[in-house]
Amino acid sequence: MLKLTSTYPRATRVLEGYKRYVVQQAKSNLTKSGKKASGKLYGSIKGFVSKRMNRALTGRFTGGSTMPSLTFEMNEYGKYVDEGVRGSKSSPIGSRKSPYKFGRGANKNNVPLGPIRKWCRAKGIDPKAAYPIAKSVYENGMERTEFFSKPFERRFKITKALYHRAIADDIANNLANQLQKQMKQRIKGVK
């Protein structure tokens, strides 16, 4: 019986490289855009490559792992800075297609007032000033920066192809190693 127990080392390296590129470029773009402000958004941009090891029902490791996956994480308001916010009166050209707008109601894509209050506190501004700032964003919107979207999209297609090739190579190498082990065992058994 042939058993695949790969830990997908090549696929993991591909994802690790992509993660480093996207995080580094996103932080660089955020700094260049002038939206770094207190640095909390900058510091919150992270990527995680996870591999879960296969386990039997008893909890014992059975070898190998599920294919590695990549997750990016940042503070919630990062999506508003990245994609922009539509205003009620006028909007910057770049944010007119944004799924976010400022306001209240049942629409789940509304920008909350809480992050603006947090930003005011971080800047040493009275949190009561959050309302006039919110009103300005409500009316004028906020231009998108695409600090995260651009590097993510720029390398996504090629990374996807490299990832699939790396998975195939990992499986082929594992298969070859398993066959080689079985052949050695059979040769030892014949002697």
Side-chain angles (χ1 to χ4, degrees):
M1 182 171 152
L2 194 60
K3 197 172 165 185
L4 289 175
T5 59
S6 180
T7 56
Y8 303 102
R10 291 180 181 179
T12 303
R13 280 194 301 272
V14 167
L15 290 181
E16 286 288 346
Y18 181 59
K19 173 192 81 168
R20 278 191 303 275
Y21 170 79
V22 171
V23 169
Q24 184 271 328
Q25 288 294 308
K27 287 182 175 187
S28 175
N29 291 345
L30 190 61
T31 302
K32 288 176 189 173
S33 73
K35 302 280 185 183
K36 189 174 173 187
S38 68
K40 290 194 179 194
L41 177 58
Y42 181 92
S44 73
I45 303 170
K46 295 179 178 106
F48 302 98
V49 175
S50 60
K51 296 189 304 183
R52 290 183 301 146
M53 299 302 288
N54 291 333
R55 291 180 180 248
L57 291 175
T58 60
R60 185 171 171 243
F61 285 113
T62 59
S65 66
T66 58
M67 286 188 245
S69 63
L70 175 60
T71 307
F72 290 104
E73 184 178 280
M74 71 178 97
N75 285 346
E76 181 187 3
Y77 64 90
K79 64 184 175 188
Y80 306 123
V81 174
D82 186 56
E83 296 183 40
V85 178
R86 288 180 284 146
S88 65
K89 292 185 178 176
S90 66
S91 294
I93 291 173
S95 66
R96 289 187 180 152
K97 293 181 180 177
S98 172
Y100 305 109
K101 67 178 184 174
F102 196 80
R104 295 182 182 196
N107 186 349
K108 64 182 176 184
N109 291 328
N110 290 341
V111 178
L113 189 59
I116 296 173
R117 283 193 188 109
K118 250 177 136 175
W119 178 81
C120 287
R121 283 189 206 106
K123 288 295 203 176
I125 301 170
D126 184 12
K128 292 176 185 173
Y131 181 75
I133 293 169
K135 185 175 180 187
S136 173
V137 174
Y138 172 77
E139 291 175 352
N140 303 318
M142 191 167 82
E143 191 167 356
R144 70 178 176 194
T145 61
E146 294 182 318
F147 74 92
F148 180 80
S149 301
K150 279 186 179 179
F152 182 85
E153 293 295 329
R154 191 177 300 132
R155 290 259 177 106
F156 181 74
K157 229 176 182 180
I158 193 163
T159 300
K160 188 174 157 184
L162 289 172
Y163 178 71
H164 290 159
R165 204 171 306 132
I167 293 260
D169 288 345
D170 286 339
I171 290 171
N173 287 340
N174 184 44
L175 190 59
N177 290 340
Q178 294 295 326
L179 286 171
Q180 188 177 22
K181 282 180 188 176
Q182 284 188 359
M183 293 300 287
K184 282 182 181 179
Q185 288 175 351
R186 287 189 181 172
I187 291 172
K188 283 181 184 179
V190 171
K191 288 182 181 179

